Amino acid sequence: MRTLILATAAVLASATAALATPASVSVSIGPKLQTKAEETLGVREVDDLAKTLQTTVEKKLAKTSAYDGARIELVLTDATPNHPTFKQLSDKPGLSMRSFGIGGAAIEGRAVSPDGKVIPLHYSYTEPDIRWSQRGGIWTDAEDTFDQFAYELSRGKAPSEH
């Protein structure tokens, strides 16, 4: 009897998992950030940052049933590095990698549920204390923003402002 119950539970769990379709996530770069990338930050750097946002959201949502079957369409509208990017360093030879400042990011977009309901999304964060900016990588605060945003989504929330 015990084996039958465990086998039934395993079959139900796998059937439920098979029915759940994880959210699809797409990320584009907003026009102002694209211009900023071309002029100062570096296009490759910002493209990589957009991929990081997509991967972060996908991984968080894969661990939960929040937004199953939905389309998450995001636009990275702004990003500020903590340390100079490679393009900034090459454009200004006197600039040091030791230079640092507060960073962050802004995300806009929408979640489209399987039934067509559209949920607007907006999230932005800028580190308020420069003392935390000296350590870490070029995009530490932006990546922290992505983590916070993805965490809120994974809890089934629709971040609308931070």
Side-chain angles (χ1 to χ4, degrees):
M1 179 72 168
R2 187 177 203 180
T3 307
L4 178 62
I5 292 172
L6 291 174
T8 304
V11 168
L12 287 175
S14 65
T16 303
L19 292 175
T21 305
S24 67
V25 180
S26 64
V27 177
S28 61
I29 299 168
K32 285 184 181 179
L33 182 57
Q34 186 64 41
T35 300
K36 190 175 172 182
E38 292 166 2
E39 294 175 358
T40 60
L41 297 176
V43 174
R44 189 185 78 196
E45 296 256 2
V46 174
D47 286 344
D48 289 346
L49 196 60
K51 289 175 190 164
T52 300
L53 171 59
Q54 180 175 356
T55 302
T56 301
V57 172
E58 286 173 343
K59 284 182 180 179
K60 286 277 192 209
L61 289 178
K63 296 178 182 178
T64 175
S65 62
Y67 292 98
D68 273 354
R71 264 187 358 257
I72 309 293
E73 301 167 348
L74 303 175
V75 179
L76 185 57
T77 58
D78 196 16
T80 305
N82 292 97
H83 294 278
T85 64
F86 294 114
K87 179 169 177 22
Q88 289 173 320
L89 289 170
S90 67
D91 288 348
K92 297 180 182 176
L95 192 59
S96 169
M97 189 60 180
R98 291 184 177 177
S99 301
F100 64 94
I102 56 174
I107 305 161
E108 293 183 16
R110 64 188 193 156
V112 182
S113 67
D115 65 359
K117 181 180 175 189
V118 176
I119 303 164
L121 304 170
H122 175 79
Y123 194 85
S124 64
Y125 179 78
T126 301
E127 173 60 51
D129 191 343
I130 196 166
R131 293 177 291 178
W132 294 104
S133 299
Q134 185 173 3
R135 293 182 177 82
I138 295 171
W139 297 105
T140 299
D141 289 337
E143 291 168 351
D144 287 348
T145 303
F146 301 164
D147 286 337
Q148 293 166 13
F149 173 74
Y151 175 74
E152 293 295 318
L153 277 180
S154 73
R155 295 182 65 214
K157 295 186 178 183
S160 59
E161 189 62 55
H162 188 297

